[in-house]
Amino acid sequence: AYPLVNEPVAVNVSTSNATQTGWQLNGQPLTGAPDTLTFDAAGDYLLELTASNGVCSVSEAVLMTVQDSCRRFTFVRQFD
């Protein structure tokens, strides 16, 4: 299931042997390590974590598609 607008998304990441980490959302730096993210508009968001130990650096990214909360409605048509 896709996250919805204004619905908190849990961010659970652990790194080993990293002395520094950096987060970016759509190419913009985030301050600190987020526990949750909340999006105020529908669309695609790229969350990236870069971990380094002073010698090596590794990045992982995930693309999240956030849907408008109105898409949750389900309609059933019945005619008598």
Side-chain angles (χ1 to χ4, degrees):
Y2 294 104
L4 301 175
V5 171
N6 295 321
E7 178 181 66
V9 177
V11 178
N12 298 309
V13 175
S14 63
T15 59
S16 60
N17 302 320
T19 56
Q20 294 179 329
T21 58
W23 292 87
Q24 291 188 358
L25 183 62
N26 288 343
Q28 299 299 312
L30 295 175
T31 303
D35 293 327
T36 61
L37 294 171
T38 304
F39 303 96
D40 60 1
D44 292 331
Y45 295 87
L46 183 66
L47 179 64
E48 184 176 11
L49 169 63
T50 301
S52 64
N53 64 3
V55 177
C56 301
S57 181
V58 176
S59 295
E60 289 287 330
V62 61
L63 180 64
M64 294 178 285
T65 300
V66 176
Q67 291 187 345
D68 188 320
S69 56
C70 289
R71 290 190 180 191
R72 258 211 159 132
F73 293 116
T74 302
F75 294 95
V76 177
R77 294 182 184 167
Q78 282 186 298
F79 298 99
D80 292 332

